[in-house]
């Protein structure tokens, strides 16, 4: 398993070429998404605790059964939507892979994003232990983690390029375009989703 994950992260061309020869299996991609989802829930607790600590309860993260379910399912919804986007573009490029195969390899390609979900917890712990830090320091950590997030998103984009190229047997350039569009959509979503945190330090 370790060898396969290392191959996925650092030699995606080899990994997805091999996957093309194997039977489609959604179990491991689903586990990758589930781990990211669970860590995301823990991050929500960390951020919520920070907001309460600095007396910003009006924008605190309160986990009710309803939004617990939303936070848990959101990565899975994003997985299916992203796979749908990939599938549509690859069909546009005259690709021949199935949606299920696209779903499988989109999940594998999300591994760097799942790894990154650990960092917001570290960020939350750091901020909680330094509640009296200057605003610019707090803003600096937000920007630092956003830049780190960008690297991991691009890493996933790199994996998705080979995933779509091998899944649909399309030209490498077309696979790059498909992955670039997915990365751009993710970054737009992340930017909109995190403007509130940045504004928190600016006011």
């Amino acid at each position: 398993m370790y060898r396969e994950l290392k191959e996925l992260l650092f030699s995606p061309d080899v990994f997805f070429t091999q996957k093309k020869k194997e039977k489609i299996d959604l179990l491991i991609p689903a586990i990758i998404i589930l781990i990211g989802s669970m860590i995301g829930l823990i991050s929500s607790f960390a951020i919520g605790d920070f907001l309460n600590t600095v007396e910003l309860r009006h924008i605190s993260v309160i986990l009710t059964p309803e939004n617990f379910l939303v936070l848990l399912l959101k990565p899975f919804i994003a997985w299916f939507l992203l796979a749908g986007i990939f599938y549509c573009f690859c069909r546009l490029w005259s690709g021949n892979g199935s949606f299920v195969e696209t779903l499988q390899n989109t999940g594998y390609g999300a591994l760097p994003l799942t790894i990154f979900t650990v960092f917001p917890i570290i960020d939350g712990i750091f901020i909680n232990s330094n509640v009296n830090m200057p605003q610019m320091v707090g803003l600096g950590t937000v920007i630092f983690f956003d830049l780190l997030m960008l690297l991991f998103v691009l890493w996933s984009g790199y994996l998705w390029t080979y995933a779509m190229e091998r899944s649909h047997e399309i030209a490498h350039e077309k696979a790059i375009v498909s992955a670039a569009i997915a990365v751009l959509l993710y970054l737009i979503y992340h930017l909109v989703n995190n403007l509130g945190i940045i504004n928190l330090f600016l006011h």
Side-chain angles (χ1 to χ4, degrees):
M1 177 61 71
Y2 171 77
R3 183 190 63 80
E4 277 200 338
L5 292 179
K6 183 179 178 182
E7 205 170 63
L8 167 62
L9 292 172
F10 302 105
S11 303
D13 190 16
V14 175
F15 178 84
F16 288 112
T17 298
Q18 181 60 36
K19 284 298 169 188
K20 186 69 177 177
K21 304 172 185 176
E22 299 175 2
K23 183 180 178 181
I24 296 172
D25 185 357
L26 295 176
L27 178 60
I28 295 179
I31 290 173
I32 290 172
I33 303 299
L34 178 62
I35 291 172
S37 177
M38 296 305 296
I39 297 176
L41 284 171
I42 297 172
S43 297
S44 297
F45 277 111
I47 294 171
D49 184 42
F50 159 64
L51 293 174
N52 278 322
T53 301
V54 296
E55 302 297 329
L56 291 169
R57 295 181 178 85
H58 61 290
I59 57 171
S60 177
V61 177
I62 301 172
L63 287 180
T64 65
E66 292 78 15
N67 61 22
F68 176 89
L69 188 61
V70 170
L71 287 170
L72 184 65
L73 293 179
K74 194 189 303 185
F76 287 93
I77 295 171
W79 177 27
F80 275 81
L81 289 176
L82 195 57
I85 292 170
F86 279 135
Y87 182 73
C88 289
F89 272 101
C90 290
R91 297 301 291 179
L92 185 65
W93 306 132
S94 300
N96 56 14
S98 68
F99 175 75
V100 178
E101 185 178 8
T102 306
L103 187 65
Q104 170 193 265
N105 291 341
T106 301
Y108 276 120
L111 181 57
L113 296 178
T114 292
I115 295 172
F116 175 76
T117 56
V118 175
F119 289 96
I121 298 176
I122 299 172
D123 188 21
I125 293 172
F126 171 75
I127 292 175
N128 275 326
S129 61
N130 296 277
V131 292
N132 295 319
M133 63 182 166
Q135 285 186 342
M136 290 308 297
V137 175
L139 180 58
T141 57
V142 171
I143 294 173
F144 170 77
F145 278 97
D146 275 348
L147 291 174
L148 192 62
M149 180 275 303
L150 176 61
L151 291 177
F152 277 81
V153 173
L154 292 175
W155 193 356
S156 274
Y158 169 64
L159 302 190
W160 287 328
T161 297
Y162 287 101
M164 295 308 112
E165 181 181 356
R166 298 306 173 205
S167 300
H168 294 270
E169 297 180 353
I170 59 177
H172 188 67
E173 295 76 14
K174 293 178 179 178
I176 290 175
V177 171
S178 299
I181 291 171
V183 166
L184 181 61
L185 290 173
Y186 183 91
L187 291 176
I188 291 172
Y189 164 79
H190 179 79
L191 179 63
V192 171
N193 202 43
N194 287 277
L195 280 177
I197 299 296
I198 293 176
N199 288 334
L200 183 156
F201 289 102
L202 292 176
H203 294 92

